[in-house]
Coordinates of all heavy atoms in Angstrom, one line a residue:
C1 N 131.4 82.5 102.3 CA 131.3 81.1 102.6 C 130.0 80.6 102.0 O 128.9 81.2 102.1 CB 131.2 81.0 104.1 SG 131.0 79.3 104.7
A2 N 130.1 79.4 101.3 CA 129.0 78.8 100.6 C 127.9 78.4 101.5 O 126.7 78.5 101.2 CB 129.5 77.6 99.8
S3 N 128.2 78.0 102.7 CA 127.3 77.5 103.7 C 126.4 78.7 104.1 O 125.2 78.6 104.3 CB 127.9 76.9 104.9 OG 127.0 76.7 105.9
T4 N 127.0 79.9 104.4 CA 126.3 81.1 104.8 C 125.3 81.5 103.6 O 124.2 81.8 103.9 CB 127.2 82.2 105.1 OG1 128.1 81.8 106.2 CG2 126.5 83.4 105.5
A5 N 125.8 81.4 102.4 CA 125.0 81.8 101.3 C 123.7 80.9 101.1 O 122.6 81.4 100.9 CB 125.8 81.8 100.0
S6 N 123.9 79.6 101.3 CA 122.8 78.7 101.2 C 121.8 78.9 102.4 O 120.6 78.8 102.2 CB 123.3 77.3 101.1 OG 123.9 76.9 102.3
N7 N 122.4 79.2 103.6 CA 121.5 79.5 104.7 C 120.7 80.8 104.5 O 119.5 80.9 104.8 CB 122.4 79.7 106.0 CG 122.9 78.3 106.5 OD1 122.4 77.3 106.1 ND2 123.9 78.4 107.4
D8 N 121.4 81.8 103.9 CA 120.7 83.1 103.6 C 119.6 82.8 102.6 O 118.5 83.4 102.7 CB 121.7 84.1 103.0 CG 122.6 84.7 104.1 OD1 122.4 84.5 105.3 OD2 123.6 85.4 103.7
K9 N 119.9 82.0 101.6 CA 118.9 81.7 100.6 C 117.7 80.9 101.2 O 116.5 81.2 100.9 CB 119.5 80.9 99.4 CG 118.5 80.8 98.3 CD 119.1 80.2 97.0 CE 118.0 80.1 95.9 NZ 118.6 79.5 94.7
A10 N 118.0 80.0 102.0 CA 116.9 79.2 102.7 C 116.1 80.1 103.6 O 114.8 80.0 103.6 CB 117.5 78.1 103.5
E11 N 116.7 81.0 104.3 CA 116.0 81.9 105.2 C 115.1 82.9 104.3 O 114.0 83.2 104.6 CB 116.9 82.7 106.1 CG 116.2 83.5 107.1 CD 117.1 84.3 108.0 OE1 118.3 84.0 108.0 OE2 116.6 85.1 108.8
Y12 N 115.7 83.3 103.2 CA 115.0 84.2 102.2 C 113.7 83.5 101.7 O 112.6 84.0 101.7 CB 115.9 84.5 101.1 CG 115.1 85.1 99.9 CD1 114.7 86.4 99.9 CD2 114.8 84.3 98.8 CE1 113.9 86.9 98.8 CE2 114.1 84.7 97.7 CZ 113.7 86.0 97.7 OH 112.9 86.5 96.6
E13 N 113.9 82.2 101.3 CA 112.7 81.5 100.8 C 111.6 81.3 101.8 O 110.4 81.4 101.5 CB 113.2 80.1 100.2 CG 114.0 80.3 98.9 CD 114.7 79.0 98.5 OE1 114.7 78.0 99.2 OE2 115.3 79.1 97.3
Q14 N 112.0 81.0 103.1 CA 111.1 80.9 104.1 C 110.3 82.2 104.4 O 109.1 82.3 104.6 CB 111.7 80.4 105.4 CG 110.8 80.2 106.6 CD 111.5 79.6 107.8 OE1 112.7 79.6 107.9 NE2 110.8 79.2 108.8
A15 N 111.1 83.3 104.4 CA 110.5 84.7 104.6 C 109.6 85.0 103.5 O 108.6 85.7 103.7 CB 111.6 85.7 104.8
L16 N 110.0 84.6 102.3 CA 109.2 84.9 101.1 C 107.8 84.2 101.2 O 106.8 84.9 101.0 CB 109.9 84.5 99.8 CG 109.1 84.7 98.5 CD1 108.8 86.2 98.3 CD2 109.9 84.1 97.3
K17 N 107.8 83.0 101.6 CA 106.5 82.2 101.8 C 105.6 82.9 102.8 O 104.4 83.1 102.6 CB 106.8 80.8 102.1 CG 107.3 79.9 101.0 CD 107.6 78.5 101.4 CE 108.2 77.7 100.3 NZ 108.6 76.4 100.8
S18 N 106.2 83.3 103.9 CA 105.5 83.9 105.0 C 104.9 85.3 104.6 O 103.8 85.6 104.8 CB 106.4 84.1 106.2 OG 105.7 84.7 107.3
A19 N 105.8 86.1 103.9 CA 105.3 87.4 103.4 C 104.2 87.2 102.4 O 103.2 88.0 102.4 CB 106.5 88.2 102.9
Q20 N 104.4 86.3 101.5 CA 103.4 86.1 100.4 C 102.0 85.7 101.1 O 101.0 86.2 100.6 CB 103.8 85.1 99.4 CG 104.9 85.6 98.5 CD 105.4 84.5 97.6 OE1 105.5 83.3 98.0 NE2 105.9 84.9 96.4
A21 N 102.0 84.9 102.1 CA 100.8 84.5 102.7 C 100.2 85.7 103.4 O 98.9 85.9 103.3 CB 101.1 83.4 103.7
S22 N 101.0 86.5 104.1 CA 100.4 87.6 104.8 C 99.9 88.7 103.8 O 98.8 89.3 104.1 CB 101.5 88.3 105.7 OG 101.9 87.4 106.7
V23 N 100.6 88.9 102.7 CA 100.1 89.8 101.7 C 98.8 89.3 101.1 O 97.9 90.1 100.9 CB 101.2 90.0 100.6 CG1 100.6 90.7 99.4 CG2 102.4 90.8 101.2
Q24 N 98.7 88.0 100.9 CA 97.5 87.5 100.3 C 96.3 87.8 101.3 O 95.2 88.1 100.8 CB 97.6 86.0 100.1 CG 96.4 85.4 99.4 CD 96.5 83.9 99.1 OE1 97.6 83.4 99.2 NE2 95.5 83.3 98.7
R25 N 96.5 87.6 102.6 CA 95.5 87.8 103.6 C 95.1 89.3 103.6 O 93.9 89.6 103.7 CB 95.9 87.4 104.9 CG 96.1 85.9 105.1 CD 96.0 85.4 106.5 NE 94.7 85.7 107.0 CZ 94.5 86.2 108.3 NH1 95.5 86.4 109.1 NH2 93.3 86.4 108.7
A26 N 96.0 90.2 103.4 CA 95.7 91.6 103.3 C 95.0 92.0 102.0 O 94.0 92.8 102.0 CB 97.0 92.5 103.4
E27 N 95.4 91.3 100.9 CA 94.7 91.6 99.7 C 93.3 91.1 99.7 O 92.4 91.6 99.0 CB 95.5 91.0 98.5 CG 96.8 91.7 98.2 CD 97.6 91.0 97.1 OE1 97.4 89.9 96.8 OE2 98.5 91.7 96.7
E28 N 93.0 90.0 100.4 CA 91.7 89.4 100.5 C 90.7 90.5 101.0 O 89.5 90.4 100.6 CB 91.6 88.2 101.4 CG 92.3 87.0 100.9 CD 92.4 85.9 101.9 OE1 92.0 86.1 103.1 OE2 93.0 84.8 101.6
V29 N 91.1 91.4 101.8 CA 90.2 92.4 102.3 C 90.5 93.8 101.7 O 90.1 94.8 102.2 CB 90.3 92.5 103.9 CG1 89.7 91.2 104.5 CG2 91.7 92.8 104.4
K30 N 91.2 93.8 100.6 CA 91.6 95.0 99.9 C 92.3 96.0 100.7 O 91.9 97.2 100.7 CB 90.4 95.5 99.2 CG 89.8 94.6 98.1 CD 88.5 95.1 97.5 CE 88.0 94.3 96.4 NZ 87.9 92.9 96.5
N31 N 93.2 95.6 101.6 CA 93.9 96.5 102.5 C 95.4 96.2 102.4 O 96.1 96.1 103.4 CB 93.4 96.3 103.9 CG 93.7 97.5 104.8 OD1 93.8 98.6 104.2 ND2 93.9 97.3 106.0
N32 N 95.9 96.1 101.2 CA 97.4 95.9 101.0 C 98.0 97.3 100.8 O 97.8 98.0 99.8 CB 97.6 95.1 99.7 CG 99.0 94.6 99.7 OD1 99.8 94.7 100.6 ND2 99.4 94.1 98.5
W33 N 98.8 97.7 101.8 CA 99.4 99.1 101.8 C 100.5 99.2 100.8 O 101.2 98.2 100.5 CB 99.9 99.4 103.2 CG 98.9 99.3 104.3 CD1 97.6 99.5 104.2 CD2 99.2 99.1 105.7 NE1 97.0 99.4 105.4 CE2 98.0 99.1 106.3 CE3 100.4 98.9 106.4 CZ2 97.9 99.0 107.7 CZ3 100.3 98.7 107.8 CH2 99.1 98.8 108.4
T34 N 100.7 100.4 100.2 CA 101.7 100.6 99.2 C 103.1 100.3 99.7 O 103.9 99.7 98.9 CB 101.7 102.1 98.7 OG1 100.4 102.4 98.2 CG2 102.7 102.4 97.7
P35 N 103.5 100.6 100.9 CA 104.9 100.2 101.3 C 105.1 98.7 101.3 O 106.2 98.3 101.1 CB 104.9 100.7 102.8 CG 103.9 101.8 102.9 CD 102.8 101.4 101.9
I36 N 104.1 97.9 101.5 CA 104.2 96.5 101.4 C 104.6 96.1 100.0 O 105.6 95.3 99.8 CB 102.9 95.8 101.8 CG1 102.6 96.1 103.3 CG2 103.0 94.2 101.7 CD1 101.1 95.7 103.7
V37 N 103.9 96.6 99.0 CA 104.2 96.3 97.6 C 105.6 96.7 97.3 O 106.4 95.9 96.7 CB 103.2 97.0 96.7 CG1 103.5 96.8 95.2 CG2 101.8 96.5 97.0
N38 N 106.0 97.9 97.7 CA 107.4 98.3 97.4 C 108.5 97.4 98.1 O 109.5 97.1 97.4 CB 107.6 99.8 97.9 CG 106.7 100.8 97.1 OD1 106.3 100.5 96.0 ND2 106.5 101.9 97.7
L39 N 108.2 97.0 99.3 CA 109.2 96.2 100.0 C 109.3 94.8 99.3 O 110.4 94.3 99.2 CB 108.8 96.0 101.5 CG 109.0 97.1 102.4 CD1 108.3 97.0 103.7 CD2 110.5 97.3 102.6
M40 N 108.2 94.3 98.8 CA 108.2 93.0 98.1 C 109.0 93.1 96.8 O 109.8 92.3 96.5 CB 106.8 92.5 97.8 CG 106.0 92.2 99.0 SD 106.5 90.8 100.0 CE 106.0 89.4 98.9
K41 N 108.8 94.2 96.1 CA 109.6 94.5 94.9 C 111.1 94.6 95.1 O 111.9 94.1 94.4 CB 109.1 95.7 94.1 CG 107.7 95.5 93.5 CD 107.2 96.8 92.8 CE 105.8 96.6 92.2 NZ 105.3 97.8 91.7
E42 N 111.4 95.4 96.2 CA 112.8 95.6 96.5 C 113.5 94.3 96.9 O 114.6 94.0 96.6 CB 112.9 96.6 97.7 CG 112.5 98.0 97.3 CD 112.4 98.9 98.5 OE1 112.9 98.6 99.6 OE2 111.9 100.0 98.3
A43 N 112.7 93.4 97.7 CA 113.3 92.1 98.1 C 113.6 91.3 96.9 O 114.6 90.6 96.8 CB 112.3 91.4 99.0
E44 N 112.6 91.3 95.9 CA 112.8 90.5 94.7 C 114.1 90.9 93.9 O 114.9 90.1 93.5 CB 111.6 90.6 93.8 CG 111.7 89.8 92.5 CD 110.5 90.0 91.6 OE1 109.6 90.7 92.0 OE2 110.4 89.3 90.6
E45 N 114.3 92.3 93.8 CA 115.5 92.8 93.1 C 116.8 92.4 93.9 O 117.7 92.0 93.3 CB 115.4 94.3 93.0 CG 114.3 94.8 92.0 CD 114.5 94.2 90.6 OE1 115.6 94.2 90.1 OE2 113.5 93.7 90.0
L46 N 116.7 92.5 95.2 CA 117.9 92.1 96.0 C 118.2 90.6 95.8 O 119.4 90.3 95.7 CB 117.7 92.5 97.4 CG 117.8 94.0 97.8 CD1 117.2 94.2 99.2 CD2 119.2 94.5 97.7
A47 N 117.2 89.8 95.8 CA 117.4 88.4 95.7 C 118.0 88.1 94.3 O 118.9 87.2 94.2 CB 116.1 87.6 95.9
K48 N 117.5 88.8 93.3 CA 118.1 88.5 91.9 C 119.6 88.8 91.9 O 120.3 88.2 91.1 CB 117.4 89.4 90.9 CG 116.0 88.9 90.5 CD 115.4 89.9 89.5 CE 113.9 89.5 89.2 NZ 113.3 90.4 88.3
K49 N 120.0 89.8 92.7 CA 121.4 90.2 92.8 C 122.2 89.2 93.7 O 123.4 89.4 93.9 CB 121.6 91.6 93.3 CG 121.0 92.6 92.3 CD 121.1 94.0 92.9 CE 120.5 95.0 91.9 NZ 120.4 96.4 92.5
G50 N 121.5 88.3 94.4 CA 122.1 87.4 95.3 C 122.3 87.9 96.7 O 122.9 87.2 97.6
D51 N 121.7 89.1 97.0 CA 121.8 89.6 98.4 C 120.6 89.1 99.2 O 119.7 89.9 99.5 CB 121.9 91.1 98.3 CG 122.2 91.8 99.7 OD1 122.3 91.0 100.7 OD2 122.5 93.0 99.7
Y52 N 120.7 87.8 99.6 CA 119.5 87.2 100.2 C 119.3 87.8 101.7 O 118.2 87.8 102.1 CB 119.7 85.7 100.3 CG 119.6 85.1 98.9 CD1 120.7 84.6 98.3 CD2 118.4 85.1 98.2 CE1 120.7 84.0 97.0 CE2 118.4 84.5 96.9 CZ 119.5 84.0 96.3 OH 119.4 83.5 95.1
A53 N 120.4 88.1 102.3 CA 120.2 88.7 103.7 C 119.4 90.0 103.7 O 118.5 90.1 104.5 CB 121.6 88.9 104.3
A54 N 119.8 90.9 102.8 CA 119.0 92.1 102.7 C 117.6 91.9 102.2 O 116.7 92.5 102.7 CB 119.8 93.1 101.8
A55 N 117.4 91.0 101.3 CA 116.1 90.7 100.8 C 115.2 90.1 101.9 O 114.0 90.4 102.0 CB 116.2 89.7 99.6
T56 N 115.8 89.3 102.7 CA 115.1 88.7 103.8 C 114.6 89.8 104.8 O 113.4 89.7 105.3 CB 115.9 87.7 104.6 OG1 116.3 86.6 103.6 CG2 115.2 87.1 105.7
E57 N 115.4 90.7 105.1 CA 115.0 91.8 105.9 C 113.8 92.6 105.4 O 112.9 93.0 106.1 CB 116.2 92.8 106.2 CG 117.2 92.1 107.1 CD 116.7 91.6 108.4 OE1 116.0 92.3 109.1 OE2 117.0 90.4 108.8
K58 N 113.9 92.9 104.1 CA 112.8 93.6 103.4 C 111.5 92.7 103.5 O 110.4 93.3 103.8 CB 113.1 93.8 101.9 CG 114.3 94.7 101.7 CD 113.9 96.1 101.8 CE 115.1 97.0 101.4 NZ 114.9 98.4 101.6
L59 N 111.6 91.4 103.3 CA 110.4 90.5 103.4 C 109.9 90.5 104.8 O 108.6 90.4 105.0 CB 110.8 89.1 102.9 CG 111.1 89.0 101.4 CD1 111.6 87.6 101.1 CD2 109.8 89.3 100.6
K60 N 110.7 90.5 105.8 CA 110.3 90.5 107.2 C 109.5 91.8 107.5 O 108.4 91.7 108.2 CB 111.4 90.3 108.1 CG 112.0 88.9 108.1 CD 113.2 88.8 109.1 CE 113.7 87.4 109.1 NZ 114.9 87.2 110.0
K61 N 109.9 92.9 107.0 CA 109.2 94.1 107.1 C 107.9 94.1 106.4 O 106.8 94.5 106.9 CB 110.0 95.3 106.6 CG 111.2 95.6 107.5 CD 112.0 96.8 106.9 CE 113.3 97.0 107.8 NZ 114.1 98.0 107.2
A62 N 107.9 93.6 105.2 CA 106.6 93.5 104.4 C 105.6 92.5 105.1 O 104.4 92.8 105.2 CB 106.9 92.9 103.0
D63 N 106.1 91.4 105.7 CA 105.3 90.5 106.4 C 104.7 91.2 107.6 O 103.5 91.0 107.8 CB 106.2 89.3 106.8 CG 105.4 88.1 107.4 OD1 104.2 88.0 107.0 OD2 106.0 87.3 108.1
F64 N 105.5 91.9 108.4 CA 105.0 92.6 109.5 C 103.9 93.6 109.1 O 102.8 93.6 109.7 CB 106.1 93.3 110.2 CG 105.7 94.2 111.4 CD1 105.5 93.6 112.6 CD2 105.5 95.5 111.2 CE1 105.0 94.4 113.7 CE2 105.1 96.4 112.2 CZ 104.9 95.8 113.5
L65 N 104.1 94.4 108.1 CA 103.1 95.4 107.7 C 101.9 94.7 107.1 O 100.8 95.2 107.4 CB 103.8 96.3 106.6 CG 104.8 97.3 107.1 CD1 105.4 98.0 106.0 CD2 104.3 98.2 108.2
A66 N 102.0 93.7 106.4 CA 100.8 93.0 105.9 C 100.0 92.4 107.0 O 98.7 92.5 106.9 CB 101.3 91.9 104.9
K67 N 100.6 91.9 108.0 CA 99.8 91.4 109.2 C 99.1 92.5 109.9 O 98.0 92.4 110.3 CB 100.8 90.7 110.1 CG 101.2 89.3 109.6 CD 102.2 88.6 110.5 CE 102.6 87.3 109.9 NZ 103.7 86.7 110.7
R68 N 99.8 93.7 110.0 CA 99.1 94.8 110.6 C 98.0 95.4 109.7 O 97.0 95.8 110.2 CB 100.1 96.0 110.8 CG 101.3 95.7 111.7 CD 101.1 95.3 113.2 NE 100.7 93.9 113.4 CZ 101.5 92.8 113.4 NH1 102.8 92.9 113.2 NH2 101.0 91.6 113.6
A69 N 98.2 95.3 108.4 CA 97.1 95.8 107.5 C 95.9 94.9 107.7 O 94.7 95.4 107.7 CB 97.6 95.7 106.1
R70 N 96.1 93.6 107.8 CA 94.9 92.7 108.0 C 94.3 92.9 109.4 O 93.1 93.0 109.5 CB 95.4 91.2 107.9 CG 94.3 90.2 108.1 CD 93.2 90.4 107.1 NE 92.0 89.6 107.4 CZ 91.4 88.7 106.6 NH1 91.9 88.5 105.4 NH2 90.4 88.1 107.0
E71 N 95.1 93.1 110.4 CA 94.6 93.4 111.7 C 93.8 94.7 111.7 O 92.8 94.8 112.4 CB 95.7 93.5 112.7 CG 96.3 92.2 113.1 CD 97.6 92.3 114.0 OE1 97.9 93.4 114.4 OE2 98.2 91.3 114.2
Q72 N 94.3 95.7 111.0 CA 93.6 97.0 110.9 C 92.2 96.7 110.3 O 91.2 97.2 110.8 CB 94.3 98.0 110.1 CG 93.6 99.3 109.9 CD 94.2 100.2 108.9 OE1 94.6 99.8 107.8 NE2 94.3 101.5 109.2
H73 N 92.1 96.0 109.2 CA 90.8 95.7 108.6 C 89.9 95.0 109.6 O 88.7 95.3 109.7 CB 91.0 95.0 107.3 CG 89.6 94.6 106.8 ND1 89.0 93.4 107.1 CD2 88.8 95.2 105.9 CE1 87.8 93.3 106.5 NE2 87.7 94.4 105.8
D74 N 90.4 94.0 110.2 CA 89.6 93.1 111.1 C 89.1 93.9 112.3 O 88.0 93.7 112.8 CB 90.4 91.9 111.6 CG 90.7 90.9 110.5 OD1 90.1 91.1 109.4 OD2 91.6 90.1 110.7
S75 N 89.9 94.9 112.8 CA 89.4 95.7 113.9 C 88.6 96.9 113.5 O 87.8 97.5 114.3 CB 90.6 96.1 114.8 OG 91.4 97.1 114.1
Q76 N 88.7 97.3 112.2 CA 88.0 98.5 111.7 C 87.4 98.2 110.3 O 87.9 98.8 109.4 CB 88.9 99.7 111.6 CG 89.6 100.1 112.9 CD 90.7 101.1 112.6 OE1 90.8 101.7 111.6 NE2 91.6 101.3 113.6
P77 N 86.5 97.2 110.2 CA 86.1 96.8 108.9 C 85.4 97.9 108.1 O 85.5 97.9 106.9 CB 85.1 95.7 109.2 CG 84.7 95.8 110.6 CD 85.8 96.5 111.3
N78 N 84.7 98.8 108.7 CA 84.1 99.9 108.0 C 84.3 101.2 108.7 O 83.4 101.8 109.2 CB 82.5 99.6 107.9 CG 82.2 98.4 107.1 OD1 82.7 98.3 105.9 ND2 81.5 97.5 107.7
P79 N 85.5 101.8 108.6 CA 85.8 103.0 109.3 C 85.1 104.2 108.8 O 85.0 105.2 109.5 CB 87.3 103.1 109.2 CG 87.7 102.4 107.9 CD 86.7 101.3 107.8
G80 N 84.7 104.2 107.5 CA 84.0 105.4 107.0 C 85.0 106.5 106.7 O 86.2 106.4 106.9
P81 N 84.5 107.6 106.2 CA 85.4 108.8 105.9 C 86.0 109.4 107.2 O 85.4 109.4 108.2 CB 84.5 109.7 105.2 CG 83.1 109.4 105.6 CD 83.1 107.9 106.0
W82 N 87.1 110.0 107.0 CA 87.8 110.7 108.1 C 87.0 111.9 108.4 O 86.5 112.6 107.5 CB 89.2 111.1 107.7 CG 90.1 109.9 107.7 CD1 90.5 109.2 106.7 CD2 90.8 109.4 108.9 NE1 91.4 108.2 107.1 CE2 91.5 108.3 108.4 CE3 90.8 109.6 110.2 CZ2 92.3 107.5 109.3 CZ3 91.5 108.9 111.1 CH2 92.3 107.8 110.6
R83 N 86.8 112.2 109.7 CA 86.2 113.4 110.1 C 87.1 114.2 111.0 O 87.5 113.7 112.1 CB 84.9 113.1 110.8 CG 83.9 112.4 109.9 CD 82.5 112.4 110.4 NE 81.6 111.9 109.4 CZ 80.8 110.9 109.6 NH1 80.6 110.4 110.8 NH2 80.0 110.4 108.7
W84 N 87.5 115.4 110.6 CA 88.4 116.1 111.4 C 87.7 117.1 112.3 O 87.0 117.8 112.2 CB 89.4 116.8 110.5 CG 90.2 115.9 109.7 CD1 90.0 115.5 108.4 CD2 91.3 115.1 110.1 NE1 90.9 114.6 108.0 CE2 91.7 114.3 109.0 CE3 92.0 115.0 111.3 CZ2 92.8 113.4 109.1 CZ3 93.1 114.1 111.4 CH2 93.5 113.3 110.3

């Protein structure tokens, strides 16, 4: 259905903006985790193929992780080396 496709694309574009903003905040403090980068790339590839629903899910996960990465930095700005 064309309506569903346009809704999926609109939701994808909204999720993309949110994820990009969260990733930028994580990058500002140099705490952008590798899984975030991978999810963003996977979402881009899925969107190129027209699978906006799956791409949106990847972006939502990336957004969540980027927010957690920023929170981690804010709560532990200088954690130092691991000591076992």
Side-chain angles (χ1 to χ4, degrees):
C1 178
S3 174
T4 302
S6 64
N7 288 343
D8 286 349
K9 186 173 183 181
E11 188 177 352
Y12 163 79
E13 289 171 353
Q14 184 178 9
L16 179 61
K17 287 179 186 176
S18 180
Q20 287 173 331
S22 296
V23 168
Q24 182 177 354
R25 291 199 66 222
E27 287 176 346
E28 287 171 359
V29 295
K30 297 177 176 41
N31 200 31
N32 192 15
W33 301 338
T34 302
I36 299 167
V37 175
N38 293 341
L39 286 166
M40 295 293 287
K41 287 178 184 177
E42 290 170 14
E44 182 180 4
E45 291 300 315
L46 287 166
K48 285 180 184 177
K49 295 176 184 175
D51 191 351
Y52 294 109
T56 298
E57 289 305 311
K58 298 279 185 185
L59 289 173
K60 287 179 180 179
K61 289 178 185 176
D63 190 25
F64 175 82
L65 290 175
K67 287 176 181 173
R68 300 301 80 79
R70 179 62 191 234
E71 287 175 6
Q72 179 190 42
H73 174 271
D74 292 347
S75 68
Q76 305 169 13
N78 296 305
W82 285 96
R83 296 195 176 129
W84 299 99

